[in-house]
Amino acid sequence: MPGWPHPNEAELLEGIELVSTDLFDTLLLRTLRSERARIVGGERIFARRLAEQGLPVSESWLVEARLEAQRLAYRALDMAEQDGEVMLRDVIARQLAILGLPKTRMAALCETRLAIELDIEKASLRPNLQLAALLRRCRGEGRRVIAISDIGLPVSVLGALVGQLHGPELLDRIYSSADLGLTKRRGELFHAVLAAEGVDAGRTLHIGDDRLADHVVPSSLGLRTLHLPRPKLKRHLSRLHGGANELGRIIRRRRAHAGTPAGHAHDPHTFGREVLGPIVAEFCLAIWLYADEARKRGDAALLFCARGGLGIRAAFERVAERLNLPLAMPRENLMISRLVAARAAVMIRSPAALDELGREFRGSSFADVATALGGSRYQLLESWNERFVPERFFAMLDRPAGAAVTADIDRQNALFQRHLSATSCGSKRIILCDTGLYGSTQRLLAVGLPDLSFETIQLARCNYKGLSEEHFPRVVGLAVERSRYSPLAVRSTVLRYWQLIESLFEPAIPSVRSFAEGTDGAIICNSGDIAFGAVDPAAGNPLLSGALAYIDDVDGGTAIMADAARAWPRLKQAITRPAEADLAALAIGERSVDFGRAGTVGDGVALPGSALSRLASIRTQLWREGAIVRAFPRSRLPLLTAVETFHALRGLSTGFHR
């Protein structure tokens, strides 16, 4: 049919009373200019507007803050087990907040940035005249014509865009997911629109480019659909344009800091202040960006997991206070450990518990596992002294001889659940904040307490254990999400010496092992009172005290981002090519092995024996590069170079993930 590619328009519209269309890439066709390029262009204009108002902010940091605010908002939204949408206005408000722009001018600045966004969109769109002609014919035949869009822009902006490109009176109404807090992808937006229009699904035609949101979901609801996918060539060219812009942004950012002197901190406090401080502060900004979006959906609590979460909480509260970043959601310290979480999984006989127990108690006996989980010494049959085999453990618990152990595990689990309910204020969405990497606590609690929704935010996420990644979609590495270290991804450096990060945040208290009921009915644990302010995580921890000192003096979010950009390469240098000063600054000493087991591990043990023996033992060290420098002070450079070369070649296969 002339002016429209559909071969049989009459059949398509037969019995249809309501015609709905998607907007972007359907009624409003995008040019090849990528989203990343549009953001960069908008922030360039915004930087000039800010400078005119006496608020000089670098274009590069506006872009960094916008991208980070947007990325973490969508990660938080994806975790929500309810419908919703990220609003651009909220993203901009958070961007401006972490950059430290005046709160009194925030509303006006948001409007300025939204107006720029509208102008950028107008310049990046062209009208779909063929579809517009169809919609006008439908209106002329008495059908109602509307638009339904999944986007963070309000109806007022969408209406202005349609009017600019198609003129007035093309649409009867526009529905935006940003205004309604519902999305097409989950179907709730279609339900709301049909109810508002008073039309049955079977008498509605929906037109759009997205296969899931505009075809699969509405078809399942009974709507007739016309799927108009964007041409593959245009999709590829747009992605290429976006990739080129992102590469240019990365190169410009690296050039800006290429001349920054590295230097060496000669004591842990100075290293904590100059290097770890900016990285920790940047981590705290990411926590706030994520949590502020999560709080919009309500019924969520942010819980900081003992032990490492106590140090994270100390830093987070200081950053929030220093930068005036309010967070209206419950947040508490949680008495938790992998051992505690394993009890919940054991009680429902989850295989996830066996994975963790098998890894932690390799070479131990069934009795050792029973003592750790139950918290007591038991009079058990001789078979419990045999070497622990995970596949047999649940059967042994279910026999009469295991009844006492099971009862104690159940009692401890019940006490923990009471504590969890109290700290979370009864919230169903539990956001755990932990150090990382694998997210064992997340995995175990999620299977053990299925009535609650758990997600975990941590500095880095990595499957170093080689176990199931089924829980990974609900574990967010705010700075790093990679399968392994790569010299090409500077933030992945923490994966080479993760114990440094754990040691940085963990206070000198025992890991949580057992619970009891206090005289006042409150739940207490063997670690003592871990409420915020009751424990000083920085006591005896010069790295953390240095990092907190940096936060106490930082000028704002722009300074944090600039300092972090310099700090990450310096941390990489200290970990992968350590000097003598770095060995002293980053040594963590002895740490408990945790999970209810006795013993410690450390990074400062001298490697005895011949050169070959020392070389062979490097793989057993927590900080291998540090061990190389200690064991081979004269030949360390070629050995360290060989290690980096190996990781560089292997890293090429994993790509350039964050």
Side-chain angles (χ1 to χ4, degrees):
M1 182 169 290
W4 181 249
H6 195 274
N8 194 337
E9 183 177 307
E11 181 179 343
L12 176 70
L13 296 173
E14 183 179 359
I16 295 299
E17 298 177 3
L18 176 69
V19 178
S20 75
T21 178
D22 176 45
L23 285 181
F24 295 95
D25 291 320
T26 303
L27 184 62
L28 308 176
L29 300 177
R30 292 195 183 279
T31 64
L32 296 181
R33 193 181 188 189
S34 65
E35 179 190 19
R36 187 60 53 88
R38 297 195 301 271
I39 290 175
V40 171
E43 300 305 342
R44 183 176 300 120
I45 297 172
F46 192 35
R48 291 198 296 266
R49 301 278 179 85
L50 290 173
E52 292 168 359
Q53 299 181 44
L55 299 171
V57 181
S58 165
E59 170 196 328
S60 62
W61 298 127
L62 281 169
V63 172
E64 292 292 325
R66 165 66 182 273
L67 293 177
E68 192 72 349
Q70 186 168 297
R71 177 181 75 91
L72 292 172
Y74 278 102
R75 291 299 296 271
L77 174 66
D78 289 343
M79 293 290 189
E81 296 186 345
Q82 61 190 75
D83 221 344
E85 181 59 275
V86 171
M87 296 183 65
L88 179 58
R89 187 183 301 275
D90 291 337
V91 171
I92 293 172
R94 295 185 193 115
Q95 171 198 25
L96 302 182
I98 65 173
L99 290 174
L101 293 173
K103 301 289 184 183
T104 55
R105 300 168 66 177
M106 194 71 71
L109 292 175
C110 281
E111 292 304 320
T112 298
R113 184 61 185 86
L114 282 170
I116 294 172
E117 193 82 7
L118 178 58
D119 291 338
I120 293 290
E121 288 287 2
K122 287 178 180 178
S124 305
L125 297 168
R126 62 182 180 86
N128 186 336
L129 298 178
Q130 294 178 330
L131 177 55
L134 171 68
L135 299 180
R136 286 193 171 94
R137 289 196 295 272
C138 288
R139 288 197 75 192
E141 295 167 357
R143 296 181 178 88
R144 188 164 167 81
V145 177
I146 64 172
I148 308 176
S149 183
D150 266 354
I151 197 165
L153 297 171
V155 167
S156 58
V157 173
L158 299 178
L161 289 172
V162 173
Q164 173 79 16
L165 294 169
H166 288 286
E169 300 181 358
L170 175 64
L171 302 172
D172 292 301
R173 187 172 178 181
I174 299 175
Y175 294 89
S176 169
S177 59
D179 288 338
L180 297 179
L182 305 169
T183 66
K184 292 185 293 185
R185 288 180 171 273
R186 294 191 179 182
E188 295 303 321
L189 184 52
F190 287 111
H191 285 302
V193 169
L194 293 176
E197 294 290 333
V199 179
D200 291 337
R203 295 187 174 275
T204 301
L205 169 68
H206 180 70
I207 304 168
D209 70 296
D210 189 284
R211 185 177 181 277
L212 175 64
D214 296 314
H215 174 59
V216 175
V217 171
S219 293
S220 70
L221 300 176
L223 283 76
R224 192 176 303 174
T225 64
L226 177 59
H227 184 213
L228 302 176
R230 192 181 186 194
K232 288 184 178 180
L233 178 59
K234 288 188 175 181
R235 291 202 306 270
H236 293 326
L237 290 175
S238 181
R239 288 172 184 167
L240 183 63
H241 187 260
N245 272 272
E246 177 65 6
L247 180 60
R249 184 180 70 88
I250 292 172
I251 292 173
R252 288 191 298 272
R253 184 175 62 184
R254 289 184 176 178
R255 283 177 179 172
H257 302 288
T260 303
H264 290 285
H266 292 278
D267 64 271
H269 185 274
T270 303
F271 194 95
R273 183 185 182 93
E274 296 179 357
V275 182
L276 294 177
I279 292 172
V280 170
E282 181 188 58
F283 175 36
C284 292
L285 288 181
I287 294 173
W288 182 80
L289 289 171
Y290 184 99
D292 195 57
E293 177 64 33
R295 68 160 181 86
K296 288 172 51 183
R297 259 132 285 272
D299 195 32
L302 178 61
L303 304 184
F304 294 83
C305 300
R307 293 176 288 179
L310 307 189
I312 297 173
R313 175 88 183 275
F316 175 77
E317 297 294 348
R318 291 194 188 205
V319 169
E321 181 179 1
R322 182 74 179 170
L323 273 61
N324 191 20
L325 301 174
L327 182 62
M329 71 185 304
R331 55 186 188 270
E332 295 290 347
N333 293 344
L334 181 67
M335 298 187 295
I336 185 68
S337 65
R338 290 177 298 146
L339 173 65
V340 171
R343 290 178 179 134
V346 166
M347 289 309 301
I348 67 164
R349 303 301 190 258
S350 169
L354 297 181
D355 283 346
E356 292 291 335
L357 293 172
R359 186 177 188 277
E360 296 295 332
F361 289 92
R362 187 178 295 114
S364 300
S365 68
F366 285 100
D368 293 331
V369 178
T371 297
L373 289 172
S376 301
R377 293 285 182 181
Y378 301 95
Q379 296 295 322
L380 298 167
L381 300 177
E382 184 60 30
S383 58
W384 284 77
N385 293 322
E386 296 175 6
R387 184 177 62 84
F388 179 65
V389 179
E391 294 75 13
R392 294 172 50 198
F393 185 56
F394 289 158
M396 296 186 71
L397 283 179
D398 292 336
R399 294 170 186 155
V405 179
T406 301
D408 282 347
I409 296 173
D410 187 33
R411 180 177 61 84
Q412 285 292 313
N413 188 43
L415 290 171
F416 166 70
Q417 289 191 49
R418 284 175 53 187
H419 166 63
L420 175 63
S421 179
T423 54
S424 65
C425 301
S427 300
K428 295 297 183 182
R429 180 180 182 182
I430 310 297
I431 304 172
L432 302 173
C433 188
D434 208 349
T435 51
L437 290 165
Y438 176 69
S440 297
T441 302
Q442 158 76 32
R443 183 188 184 202
L444 295 167
L445 287 180
V447 298
L449 303 174
D451 292 338
L452 298 175
S453 174
F454 290 96
E455 63 205 74
T456 300
I457 53 177
Q458 50 197 38
L459 182 68
R461 188 191 73 186
C462 175
N463 187 5
Y464 72 98
K465 295 184 177 182
L467 299 176
S468 169
E469 295 183 2
E470 186 177 359
H471 65 297
F472 266 28
R474 300 194 65 78
V475 179
V476 181
L478 295 175
V480 184
E481 289 184 345
R482 291 186 65 90
S483 58
R484 58 175 66 95
Y485 162 69
S486 169
L488 304 176
V490 66
R491 292 167 183 260
S492 71
T493 302
V494 294
L495 305 181
R496 291 299 300 155
Y497 187 24
W498 181 249
Q499 292 79 7
L500 171 67
I501 303 301
E502 292 182 326
S503 179
L504 169 68
F505 288 121
E506 290 182 354
I509 61 173
S511 177
V512 179
R513 296 189 179 189
S514 60
F515 296 97
E517 186 173 0
T519 55
D520 59 353
I523 304 301
I524 57 177
C525 77
N526 65 288
S527 300
D529 184 4
I530 67 163
F532 181 64
V535 176
D536 179 9
N541 186 342
L543 283 175
L544 183 58
S545 65
L548 296 180
Y550 166 83
I551 293 171
D552 288 340
D553 292 337
V554 75
D555 292 331
T558 303
I560 290 173
M561 290 189 292
D563 291 341
R566 291 186 289 266
W568 279 106
R570 173 66 184 96
L571 180 64
K572 180 178 186 294
Q573 180 190 58
I575 290 179
T576 62
R577 290 185 176 271
E580 292 297 330
D582 298 322
L583 294 181
L586 303 188
I588 64 171
E590 297 294 315
R591 301 178 65 249
S592 63
V593 295
D594 203 359
F595 219 96
R597 296 177 295 145
T600 60
V601 293
D603 65 354
V605 179
L607 302 181
S610 65
L612 286 177
S613 298
R614 281 178 285 158
L615 189 61
S617 65
I618 293 295
R619 294 191 63 184
T620 66
Q621 302 300 300
L622 301 181
W623 182 15
R624 295 176 184 177
E625 289 82 356
I628 287 173
V629 173
R630 288 193 302 269
F632 302 96
R634 294 183 179 178
S635 55
R636 62 185 181 183
L637 289 181
L639 289 173
L640 292 174
T641 300
V643 171
E644 278 292 274
T645 302
F646 166 76
H647 287 294
L649 294 174
R650 190 173 67 167
L652 290 174
S653 65
T654 64
F656 294 87
H657 306 296
R658 185 176 181 83

